[in-house]
């Protein structure tokens, strides 16, 4: 079996997003021998580009599975167009309003109820709610992607989040009452602040990231999936943070397929708060000698003008000195394939060099 994985360019300016189109199976055969998957749809205007890309390069208007990793606008907004304009068989999406039993006990305000919190979640996550309604109106099968969920062939599998972990995150979603999440508040300040740039100097093998990074509850609820094809593991992370990735690593450790990691999506567009040294060592391995390669590609989905925030050079370096070839979309599409027909007009892209000196925000 072969695969084609297209990371579409999302974000003409500074706001990054995710839109990934995948097909796998016998790519030299007919559509009935292939599976087409979409992971996230970027912003609203990304949807049309995603639809056009699938029709042109995959030669089909049918999508077997659409996965929404989490309901942030840079991941979900374009999926409405995908469902409207393509024949989608299944939608994998979390429905937090269905997980409101006992939710009220997490808040001090005795006036809230499980029912009212369910309604609040529908309102706060209106895009997710409306996407589910659209899917239902079109007869699309809806599944919630928790750990262990997989396609009929077992090739595509969800590594996280577990149902229990997901439900533990819901009280800290944005817009929930009384229990304001410190993580959310801190991230909001970071995202809005304009930090001063500082020049950094890096030494090969020395991580300038750590295990202390925090991200929002909604980011940590991201669906983490893997494809295992011909002994190759492809890992897709959404905006998952360190805690969520550690749990996914537990699932990888328990796999018996013997598949070797060949492709990894760098979480949250290369944010420094979403990846740490320990989990990188678990998923990829410890740093290698300069010039040594593990034959792994890692890709960050970033806006055209997303730097220095997306991607962070320290994050790219951490992957590079583990023998990984790192790439960033920077508003352009990147294709990774195996046992697939050559695509005319697409050329080899050199991985980024190690950044021994770079400017970055101090935070």
């Amino acid at each position: 079996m072969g695969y084609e994985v297209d990371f579409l360019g999302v974000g003409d300016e500074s706001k990054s997003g995710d839109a990934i189109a995948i097909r796998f199976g016998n790519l030299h055969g007919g559509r009935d021998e292939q599976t087409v998957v979409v992971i996230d749809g970027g912003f609203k205007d990304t949807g049309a580009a995603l639809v056009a890309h699938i029709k042109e390069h995959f030669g089909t208007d049918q999508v077997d599975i659409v996965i929404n990793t989490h309901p942030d606008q840079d991941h979900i907004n374009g999926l409405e167009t995908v469902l409207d304009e393509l024949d989608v068989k299944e939608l994998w999406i979390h429905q937090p309003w269905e997980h409101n039993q006992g939710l009220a006990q997490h808040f001090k305000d005795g006036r809230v109820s499980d029912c009212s919190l369910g309604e609040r979640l529908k309102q706060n996550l209106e895009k997710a709610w409306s996407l589910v309604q659209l899917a239902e109106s079109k007869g699309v099968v809806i599944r919630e992607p928790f750990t262990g969920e997989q396609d009929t062939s077992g090739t595509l599998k969800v590594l996280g989040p577990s149902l229990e972990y997901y439900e533990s995150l819901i009280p800290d979603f944005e817009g929930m009452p009384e229990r304001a999440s410190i993580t959310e508040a801190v991230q909001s300040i970071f995202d809005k602040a304009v930090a001063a740039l500082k020049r950094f100097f890096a030494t090969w093998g020395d991580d300038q990231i750590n295990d202390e990074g925090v991200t929002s509850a909604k980011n940590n609820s991201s669906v983490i999936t893997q494809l295992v094809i011909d002994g190759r593991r492809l890992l897709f992370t959404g905006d998952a943070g360190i805690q969520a990735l550690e749990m996914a690593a537990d699932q990888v450790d328990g796999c018996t397929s013997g598949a070797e990691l060949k492709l990894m999506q760098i979480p949250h567009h290369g944010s420094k708060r979403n990846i740490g040294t320990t989990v990188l060592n678990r998923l990829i391995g410890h740093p290698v000698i300069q010039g040594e390669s593990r034959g792994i590609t890692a890709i960050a989905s970033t806006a055209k003008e997303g730097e220095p925030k997306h991607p962070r050079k320290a994050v790219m370096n951490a992957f590079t000195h583990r023998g990984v070839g790192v790439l960033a979309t920077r508003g352009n599409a990147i294709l990774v394939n195996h046992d697939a027909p050559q695509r005319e007009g697409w050329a080899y892209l050199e991985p980024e060099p190690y950044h021994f000196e770079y400017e970055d925000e101090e935070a």
Side-chain angles (χ1 to χ4, degrees):
M1 288 202 305
Y3 57 78
E4 288 180 321
V5 180
D6 287 284
F7 287 75
L8 270 66
V10 179
D12 289 333
E13 297 180 355
S14 62
K15 292 184 178 180
S16 301
D18 278 343
I20 304 172
I22 303 166
R23 69 167 175 160
F24 61 89
N26 178 12
L27 302 190
H28 301 278
R31 175 65 179 86
D32 60 341
E33 300 177 84
Q34 304 167 8
T35 300
V36 174
V37 178
V38 168
I39 301 179
D40 289 331
F43 297 102
K44 184 176 180 179
D45 59 359
T46 311
L50 187 51
V51 167
H53 186 95
I54 290 169
K55 288 181 177 179
E56 178 182 358
H57 296 297
F58 293 178
T60 184
D61 63 357
Q62 295 183 338
V63 175
D64 297 283
I65 301 171
V66 168
I67 302 172
N68 173 229
T69 61
H70 65 297
D72 279 345
Q73 64 174 355
D74 56 314
H75 295 255
I76 196 171
N77 283 10
L79 292 181
E80 181 179 348
T81 302
V82 173
L83 263 66
D84 267 333
E85 298 188 13
L86 296 176
D87 179 11
V88 176
K89 304 303 182 185
E90 295 186 10
L91 172 64
W92 293 13
I93 185 172
H94 291 139
Q95 302 177 66
W97 49 86
E98 299 288 351
H99 300 272
N100 60 331
Q101 186 174 358
L103 191 57
Q105 67 182 345
H106 293 281
F107 305 100
K108 295 179 181 179
D109 190 343
R111 295 169 296 179
V112 299
S113 64
D114 291 349
C115 183
S116 68
L117 289 170
E119 292 302 313
R120 183 187 289 247
L121 284 164
K122 290 178 185 177
Q123 294 170 9
N124 291 346
L125 304 174
E126 187 272 334
K127 285 295 182 183
W129 167 250
S130 63
L131 194 66
V132 169
Q133 300 307 298
L134 176 61
E136 288 180 345
S137 73
K138 290 179 171 290
V140 176
V141 175
I142 300 171
R143 298 164 68 179
E144 285 202 273
F146 296 115
T147 302
E149 190 74 40
Q150 57 188 3
D151 71 339
T152 54
S153 68
T155 305
L156 176 69
K157 184 177 181 180
V158 176
L159 302 183
S162 67
L163 172 60
E164 295 74 18
Y165 180 56
Y166 182 81
E167 290 184 339
S168 77
L169 294 170
I170 293 175
D172 287 325
F173 278 13
E174 295 172 11
M176 297 300 280
E178 293 297 311
R179 181 177 162 171
S181 166
I182 294 175
T183 299
E184 293 280 2
V186 170
Q187 181 164 0
S188 177
I189 292 171
F190 266 95
D191 287 346
K192 293 177 182 178
V194 178
L197 292 178
K198 176 183 175 181
R199 184 161 294 280
F200 288 82
F201 298 90
T203 302
W204 182 271
D206 181 22
D207 283 326
Q208 292 182 319
I209 60 172
N210 57 52
D211 296 333
E212 307 304 317
V214 293
T215 192
S216 70
K218 203 188 322 181
N219 282 346
N220 264 328
S221 76
S222 289
V223 183
I224 302 173
T225 51
Q226 73 168 12
L227 277 172
V228 173
I229 299 173
D230 282 354
R232 295 164 168 255
R233 186 189 314 280
L234 287 61
L235 185 61
F236 303 93
T237 60
D239 283 358
I242 293 171
Q243 186 178 33
L245 291 170
E246 287 282 1
M247 294 180 185
D250 292 340
Q251 295 296 312
V252 172
D253 289 345
C255 281
T256 59
S257 67
E260 293 185 2
L261 183 66
K262 290 296 179 182
L263 173 66
M264 180 174 173
Q265 178 188 13
I266 300 175
H268 201 190
H269 324 295
S271 170
K272 199 173 180 179
R273 298 197 295 275
N274 289 68
I275 197 74
T277 296
T278 300
V279 75
L280 266 185
N281 289 341
R282 292 187 65 190
L283 291 171
I284 295 175
H286 291 266
V288 297
I289 298 171
Q290 188 172 353
E292 184 178 338
S293 171
R294 280 194 165 100
I296 300 169
T297 300
I299 299 177
S301 296
T302 66
K304 186 176 182 180
E305 299 175 8
E307 296 183 270
K309 182 178 175 183
H310 295 155
R312 291 293 189 109
K313 295 294 193 300
V315 171
M316 304 298 267
N317 277 354
F319 279 86
T320 301
H321 67 233
R322 284 173 170 78
V324 176
V326 295
L327 302 166
T329 58
R330 295 189 175 90
N332 298 304
I334 293 177
L335 164 66
V336 180
N337 60 11
H338 165 70
D339 193 13
Q342 289 297 313
R343 190 181 291 177
E344 188 176 349
W346 292 63
Y348 177 77
L349 188 62
E350 288 283 352
E352 290 200 13
Y354 190 77
H355 301 282
F356 286 97
E357 183 179 346
Y358 59 92
E359 285 191 344
D360 199 354
E361 297 175 355
E362 290 192 68

